């Protein structure tokens, strides 16, 4: 009873017959070919050279599938058992297309190499655990085939994406990252860090109550994050501007806005007023310099100019909040 309850729904690899191992290899080659074609379809509009790599990789996988199918036909006939990766314990898995839709170009390249390397290691380890001579030979041949795939991937990369093409594609990917994540995130961080200074420090000096100040800061930060997030997502769908998904931009902007305000609101959880205020002021200093660094690093704004603009603006807002609070 207990054995049946804890039994895994997956088969162990050692329990598979030679026909099932061959069927598993055929299904795996088919799945990998589909993955490479999905990569190619996604990359073709912006990265045609890399799309060509994945198309060729899919063709290689299909060639190996046909070879494996021919071996199966000769040994076991036309009917191939239905067995896939997800049916076997310890077998390497592949994510479905909808979980790969947001992978970057570099992530696709890295995952392709990992796919081939994983397959090679799996077949090598499987061969070590097999006592039947013919099955061991079959697994060894599959391991060599997967190792060959990895070599072909490198060769195709050298053929279709020479250094200048790869540099251009990496520049395009970097620009898209900046437009989709960095730019809206920076706008949110600036708004959250600067715009909440006045209400938080005004409440602090007006009430001298750290808990009430924290509540003001929390509400201002969360409210600004929600407002900025919806504004960013609603004003541009990204289709014409090329700035990417409005949902991603809205999340980046909204989250960074809230974090920017919470940075100097959280110190007011400290019950001692001056300790909390000095801590908050120190955090504000680092927030403003972080904004200047991001502007210089990703937006190519000269650092001194970015620092002057951000620190001056933040200082004026901070001073306004203190003056209003003491008024």
């Amino acid at each position: 009873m207990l054995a049946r309850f804890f039994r895994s729904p997956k088969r162990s690899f050692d329990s598979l017959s030679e026909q099932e191992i061959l069927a598993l290899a055929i299904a795996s080659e088919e799945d990998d070919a589909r993955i490479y074609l999905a990569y190619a379809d996604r990359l073709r509009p912006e990265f045609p050279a890399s799309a060509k790599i994945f198309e060729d990789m899919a063709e290689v996988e299909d060639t190996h599938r046909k070879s494996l199918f021919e071996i199966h036909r000769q040994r076991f006939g036309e009917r191939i058992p239905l067995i896939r990766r997800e049916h076997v314990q310890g077998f390497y898995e592949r994510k479905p297309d909808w979980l790969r839709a947001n992978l970057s170009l570099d992530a696709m390249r890295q995952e392709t190499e990992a796919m081939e390397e994983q397959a090679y290691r799996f077949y090598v380890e499987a061969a070590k655990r097999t006592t039947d001579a013919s099955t061991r030979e079959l697994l060894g041949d599959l391991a060599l085939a997967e190792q060959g795939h990895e070599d072909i991937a490198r060769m195709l990369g050298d053929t279709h994406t020479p250094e200048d093409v790869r540099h251009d594609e990496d520049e395009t990917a970097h620009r898209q990252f900046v437009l989709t994540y960095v730019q809206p995130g920076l706008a949110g961080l600036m708004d959250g860090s600067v715009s909440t200074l006045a209400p938080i420090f005004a409440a602090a000096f007006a009430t001298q109550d750290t808990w009430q100040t924290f509540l003001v800061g929390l509400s201002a930060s969360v409210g600004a994050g929600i407002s900025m997030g919806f504004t960013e997502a609603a004003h541009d769908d990204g289709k014409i501007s090329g700035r990417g998904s409005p949902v991603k931009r809205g999340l980046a902007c909204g989250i960074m806005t809230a974090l920017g305000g919470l940075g100097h609101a959280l110190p007011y959880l400290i019950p001692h007023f001056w300790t909390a205020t000095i801590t908050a002021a120190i955090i504000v200093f680092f927030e403003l310099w972080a904004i200047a660094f991001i502007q210089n690093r990703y937006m190519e704004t000269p650092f001194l100019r970015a620092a002057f603009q951000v620190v001056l603006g933040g200082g004026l807002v901070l001073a306004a909040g203190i003056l209003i609070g003491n008024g």
Side-chain angles (χ1 to χ4, degrees):
M1 178 70 179
L2 288 176
R4 185 167 60 251
F5 180 77
F6 289 107
R7 184 181 301 162
S8 171
K10 295 185 178 183
R11 293 273 302 276
S12 68
F13 189 82
D14 292 336
S15 71
L16 301 181
S17 66
E18 293 184 28
Q19 182 183 15
E20 288 172 327
I21 291 173
L22 194 55
L24 190 58
I26 292 171
S28 299
E29 299 286 354
E30 290 176 342
D31 289 347
D32 287 351
R34 292 191 184 100
I35 290 171
Y36 292 144
L37 288 175
Y39 283 170
D41 291 340
R42 182 171 181 272
L43 293 174
R44 193 173 293 108
E46 293 182 294
F47 309 106
S50 289
K52 177 60 177 172
I53 292 175
F54 288 113
E55 289 174 353
D56 289 347
M57 287 293 295
E59 187 176 345
V60 170
E61 299 290 328
D62 190 58
T63 299
H64 284 286
R65 180 192 63 82
K66 291 177 180 177
S67 298
L68 290 165
F69 186 81
E70 187 59 33
I71 293 173
H72 185 280
R73 179 183 287 112
Q74 293 173 4
R75 297 187 60 189
F76 304 109
E78 294 288 339
R79 191 186 69 81
I80 301 176
L82 177 59
I83 184 167
R84 307 178 73 87
R85 294 184 178 103
E86 58 267 28
H87 302 152
V88 181
Q89 293 177 357
F91 205 86
Y92 55 93
E93 297 182 357
R94 301 288 185 261
K95 296 178 183 178
D97 286 349
W98 61 85
L99 294 180
R100 298 168 177 268
N102 296 322
L103 289 180
S104 66
L105 173 59
D106 190 55
M108 289 183 187
R109 290 171 179 163
Q110 293 176 1
E111 186 156 326
T112 299
E113 294 181 6
M115 284 168 60
E116 304 299 341
E117 177 64 22
Q118 282 179 345
Y120 168 73
R121 288 200 308 267
F122 176 82
Y123 284 126
V124 168
E125 293 301 317
K128 293 178 182 178
R129 296 195 301 269
T130 305
T131 58
D132 180 76
S134 60
T135 303
R136 182 184 293 271
E137 181 181 7
L138 174 61
L139 291 172
D141 290 343
L142 291 173
L144 291 175
E146 293 298 338
Q147 190 176 40
H149 287 189
E150 192 175 358
D151 294 337
I152 291 171
R154 295 193 187 100
M155 180 186 68
L156 291 173
D158 294 338
T159 300
H160 295 297
T161 54
E163 194 63 31
D164 57 338
V165 174
R166 179 166 295 206
H167 176 73
D168 291 342
E169 291 187 343
D170 289 342
E171 284 291 322
T172 301
H174 175 73
R175 183 169 61 253
Q176 190 63 55
F177 171 76
V178 170
L179 290 174
T180 304
Y181 295 103
V182 177
Q183 192 178 71
L186 179 61
L189 183 60
M190 292 176 66
D191 183 86
S193 297
V194 176
S195 68
T196 57
L197 287 175
I200 290 175
F201 282 92
F205 282 90
T207 65
Q208 302 281 307
D209 186 324
T210 57
W211 176 247
Q212 295 299 323
T213 302
F214 169 72
L215 293 179
V216 171
L218 179 63
S219 60
S221 302
V222 173
I226 295 173
S227 175
M228 287 288 289
F230 274 102
T231 300
E232 176 63 37
H235 89 276
D236 179 11
D237 62 8
K239 293 180 180 178
I240 297 177
S241 65
R243 297 180 63 220
S245 167
V247 175
K248 294 178 184 177
R249 297 195 332 268
L251 286 173
C253 185
I255 291 172
M256 294 307 295
T257 301
L259 290 177
L262 287 172
H264 44 268
L266 289 175
Y268 282 97
L269 288 172
I270 302 172
H272 188 269
F273 174 75
W274 283 110
T275 302
T277 301
I278 292 172
T279 303
I282 293 172
I283 292 176
V284 169
F285 174 81
F286 283 105
E287 285 176 345
L288 297 179
W289 281 101
I291 292 170
F293 171 78
I294 295 172
Q295 283 186 318
N296 174 256
R297 173 67 176 81
Y298 290 100
M299 312 306 292
E300 299 182 358
T301 304
F303 184 79
L304 291 178
R305 189 175 78 183
F308 177 76
Q309 292 173 343
V310 173
V311 173
L312 178 62
L316 290 174
V317 176
L318 176 61
I322 294 174
L323 289 173
I324 293 172
N326 284 318

